[in-house]
Amino acid sequence: MFELDLRSRAPIYEQLVEKIKELIVNNVLKPDEQLPTVRVLAGSLTINPNTVQKAYRELEHRGYIYSLPGKGNFVRAAVPENNSIRLQNLENDFLRIVSEMLYLGMAPSRIDSLIQQALAKSEGGKNYD
Amino acid sequence: MFELDLRSRAPIYEQLVEKIKELIVNNVLKPDEQLPTVRVLAGSLTINPNTVQKAYRELEHRGYIYSLPGKGNFVRAAVPENNSIRLQNLENDFLRIVSEMLYLGMAPSRIDSLIQQALAKSEGGKNYD
DNA sequence: CTAACTGTATTATTTTATGTAGTACAGTTT
DNA sequence: AAACTGTACTACATAAAATAATACAGTTAG
């Protein structure tokens, strides 16, 4: 499914959260699609099931997946209504990054080009891997 | 100078790095301006001097400040030439954030508006606090 | 020169976060 | 009933983070 960087300073469960979120956001994992079970994913990554469970609980808390005890963990479809807090946080991160880009000397035209790139990827279909 | 969130999961020294970088990037701290001394900042935040020193060393390693032993720590002016690696990382973060914004349902026009906001803040003077 | 400041380095200790291991239990599926 | 699922819990080991207490060299002001 993906790889981990065990030598990274970032905790394994956080890396898991980010990687899975990435797959959801980029529509590689579709709404209501089942994620690997805790034990299977732990086995294939040779890490502890508790670590996977911690990542899944975090993803559920952030609204990206839901779990059905006895059945599995599934991708939660995005609900544009209930995302104002997350969107506010993203806006803050966004502004921080743009400020730093400008400070480091990136041309505004380059930033525009990045936006176009992201929009194109989002509008036209989903997976270009 | 600023506040810390001691209940945050993020380490204090990392919070310090981010906050100070913020002040530098937004030109609140000007090039060659002296930062608070290790002991003074530690005292005013009631944290350990070692923690401040760790943050300062990290900022120096990332190219945002420089230190003169016996004198103090100072803001390093941005050098657009040597920033390609950092800019590449920022581009990756940027694309991740935009993807997530779009996934959560933010209108592209809203993103454009954020860009304009950042550009205006950067071009016209510096502090509008 | 001395005193008081600066950054830096070192060692030890405490605390917290992270990850592993093993077990248990309830819901679901076949 | 058997074999899955998620979840919960305790215990243990390790690593990261932060504090504490010193020490030392460069800088500055008296």
Side-chain angles (χ1 to χ4, degrees):
Chain A
M1 192 178 188
F2 42 64
E3 300 121 35
L4 294 176
D5 180 7
L6 293 179
R7 290 169 303 183
S8 166
R9 55 281 158 204
I12 296 175
Y13 76 93
E14 263 190 36
Q15 291 184 50
L16 266 179
V17 168
E18 290 308 313
K19 298 264 188 185
I20 295 172
K21 197 173 79 175
E22 213 59 22
L23 296 178
I24 294 174
V25 164
N26 293 318
N27 233 291
V28 177
L29 295 174
K30 320 283 184 184
D32 297 315
E33 181 174 343
Q34 181 168 10
L35 297 167
T37 72
V38 169
R39 291 172 179 84
V40 164
L41 185 52
S44 78
L45 295 174
T46 56
I47 59 177
N48 195 283
N50 293 336
T51 306
V52 177
Q53 192 199 354
K54 188 170 184 180
Y56 278 1
R57 263 188 301 168
E58 180 62 24
L59 282 165
E60 184 176 27
H61 180 253
R62 296 193 198 174
Y64 288 95
I65 70 176
Y66 61 93
S67 90
L68 300 180
K71 299 192 71 173
N73 287 274
F74 303 84
V75 175
R76 179 185 296 282
V79 182
E81 289 76 32
N82 299 16
N83 294 327
S84 59
I85 304 149
R86 265 179 290 172
L87 281 174
Q88 185 57 57
N89 290 334
L90 285 174
E91 285 193 4
N92 292 338
D93 292 344
F94 182 90
L95 290 174
R96 264 204 304 272
I97 287 177
V98 172
S99 294
E100 190 165 348
M101 283 174 161
L102 294 170
Y103 176 78
L104 293 179
M106 182 180 286
S109 62
R110 172 70 181 149
I111 298 180
D112 287 339
S113 144
L114 287 173
I115 289 276
Q116 296 315 316
Q117 187 178 327
L119 281 174
K121 191 175 173 188
S122 166
E123 287 173 3
K126 307 302 173 181
N127 354 10
Y128 290 109
D129 306 349
Chain B
M1 193 178 189
F2 42 69
E3 301 122 34
L4 294 177
D5 180 6
L6 293 180
R7 288 169 304 181
S8 165
R9 56 281 156 204
I12 296 176
Y13 78 92
E14 263 190 35
Q15 291 185 50
L16 266 179
V17 168
E18 291 307 314
K19 298 265 187 185
I20 295 172
K21 198 173 79 174
E22 213 59 21
L23 297 178
I24 294 174
V25 163
N26 292 318
N27 233 292
V28 177
L29 296 174
K30 320 280 186 184
D32 297 315
E33 181 173 345
Q34 181 170 9
L35 297 168
T37 71
V38 170
R39 291 172 179 81
V40 164
L41 186 52
S44 78
L45 295 175
T46 56
I47 59 177
N48 196 282
N50 293 338
T51 306
V52 177
Q53 191 200 353
K54 187 169 184 181
Y56 279 1
R57 263 188 301 170
E58 179 62 24
L59 282 165
E60 184 177 26
H61 180 253
R62 296 194 199 174
Y64 288 96
I65 70 176
Y66 61 93
S67 90
L68 300 179
K71 300 192 72 175
N73 287 274
F74 303 85
V75 176
R76 180 185 297 282
V79 182
E81 289 76 30
N82 300 14
N83 293 329
S84 58
I85 304 149
R86 264 178 292 171
L87 282 174
Q88 184 57 57
N89 290 334
L90 285 174
E91 286 193 4
N92 292 338
D93 292 344
F94 182 90
L95 290 175
R96 262 205 305 271
I97 287 177
V98 173
S99 294
E100 191 165 348
M101 283 173 160
L102 294 171
Y103 175 77
L104 293 179
M106 182 180 287
S109 62
R110 173 70 180 151
I111 298 180
D112 286 339
S113 143
L114 287 173
I115 290 276
Q116 297 314 317
Q117 186 177 329
L119 282 173
K121 192 175 172 186
S122 167
E123 286 173 2
K126 306 304 172 180
N127 355 9
Y128 289 108
D129 308 347

